[in-house]
């Protein structure tokens, strides 16, 4: 009887030891992941702060409205090519965009008028959330970015978006986007970064940073 009790006691202690070790390893893993994600999130935030995006939204998803969206997009990009050619920072690009809003607004209005479209259009600067975005040469993390936004009509259709600074989608941009630091550049160009960006996007939605 005593031997059986001793065996049960040893088994209980053994299970407790396993649970304690498992809990300790889990805590250690949580600390490591927290530190890793904290550093990763900080670097991703640097990338967001050094990016000015362009967002064009169509009136609706009809074929005509989607085609008009692309026509306005092309006109805006052509107009922006000279404007942003000398931008050396996101802050500089945003200042250029802000000062050029009347010119860009007039460009969008003129394009619609020449196409025989009577829809209103609004061009303005804002901060908005973007999901993780995959381009041919690099990937941008999910999060809130400064953006030049173009809203056509009811702006209820599919959108088109790209990057004004660094000048990824400008007609004169022949090279991939270049970020201020090597770490930022490596982040957006790293192979296999999709898993980390997926985790970051999940974290953004979990903490409510993704907006509505």
């Amino acid at each position: 009887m005593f031997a059986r009790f001793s065996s049960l006691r040893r088994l209980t202690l053994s299970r407790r030891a396993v649970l304690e070790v498992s809990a300790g390893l889990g805590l250690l893993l949580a600390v490591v992941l927290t530190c890793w994600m904290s550093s990763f999130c900080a670097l991703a935030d640097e990338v967001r702060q050094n990016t000015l995006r362009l967002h064009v939204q169509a009136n609706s998803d009809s074929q005509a409205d989607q085609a008009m969206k692309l026509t306005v997009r092309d006109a805006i990009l052509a107009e922006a090519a000279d404007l942003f050619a000398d931008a050396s920072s996101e802050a500089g690009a945003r200042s250029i965009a802000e000062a050029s809003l009347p010119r860009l607004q007039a460009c969008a209005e003129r394009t619609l008028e020449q196409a025989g479209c009577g829809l209103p259009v609004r061009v303005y600067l804002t901060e908005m959330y973007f999901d993780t975005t995959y381009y041919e040469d690099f990937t941008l993390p999910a999060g809130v970015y400064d953006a030049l936004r173009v809203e056509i009509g009811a702006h209820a259709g599919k959108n088109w978006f790209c990057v004004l600074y660094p000048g990824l989608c400008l007609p004169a941009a022949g090279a991939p986007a270049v970020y201020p630091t090597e770490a930022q550049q490596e982040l957006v160009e790293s192979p296999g970064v999709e898993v980390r960006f997926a985790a970051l996007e999940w974290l953004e939605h979990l903490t409510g940073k993704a907006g509505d």
Side-chain angles (χ1 to χ4, degrees):
M1 185 72 176
F2 178 75
R4 183 180 178 184
F5 175 77
S6 297
S7 296
L8 289 173
R9 187 167 182 270
R10 284 196 299 271
L11 181 59
T12 300
L13 290 174
S14 177
R15 287 177 176 173
R16 181 181 298 172
V18 169
L19 289 174
E20 289 176 351
V21 170
S22 298
L25 290 174
L27 179 60
L28 177 61
L29 179 61
V31 170
V32 170
L33 287 175
T34 299
C35 292
W36 174 77
M37 280 303 293
S38 177
S39 175
F40 183 75
C41 288
L43 189 57
D45 193 48
E46 290 180 19
V47 168
R48 288 190 287 260
Q49 291 174 8
N50 283 288
T51 304
L52 176 63
R53 304 186 72 155
L54 173 63
H55 186 264
V56 185
Q57 189 161 17
N59 177 59
S60 74
D61 284 335
S62 73
Q63 186 174 353
D65 283 342
Q66 285 297 311
M68 187 56 61
K69 174 191 70 178
L70 298 180
T71 299
V72 172
R73 173 204 67 183
D74 291 345
I76 291 291
L77 288 177
E79 195 77 16
D82 293 334
L83 291 174
F84 294 95
D86 297 326
S88 58
S89 67
E90 193 277 343
R94 182 180 173 87
S95 294
I96 291 171
E98 187 170 13
S100 304
L101 284 177
R103 176 175 168 179
L104 294 169
Q105 175 74 36
C107 173
E109 291 175 351
R110 183 172 61 252
T111 301
L112 290 171
E113 183 180 356
Q114 290 174 348
C117 178
L119 290 172
V121 62
R122 181 188 179 200
V123 181
Y124 64 103
L125 278 169
T126 187
E127 292 182 350
M128 58 183 296
Y129 179 85
F130 290 85
D131 289 328
T132 302
T133 310
Y134 304 96
Y135 294 101
E136 183 178 350
D137 298 310
F138 69 102
T139 306
L140 288 179
V144 176
Y145 289 80
D146 286 335
L148 178 68
R149 183 167 164 83
V150 182
E151 295 178 346
I152 304 173
H155 52 92
K158 291 184 178 66
N159 56 61
W160 181 91
F161 46 86
C162 200
V163 181
L164 286 174
Y165 183 86
L168 173 66
C169 60
L170 295 179
V178 178
Y179 282 86
T181 69
E182 185 177 345
Q184 292 174 38
Q185 193 70 26
E186 288 180 355
L187 179 70
V188 300
E189 292 182 344
S190 295
V193 76
E194 292 86 353
V195 174
R196 285 179 289 170
F197 279 164
L200 178 61
E201 188 168 334
W202 174 81
L203 183 62
E204 292 277 332
H205 283 278
L206 185 66
T207 56
K209 294 180 180 179
D212 298 330

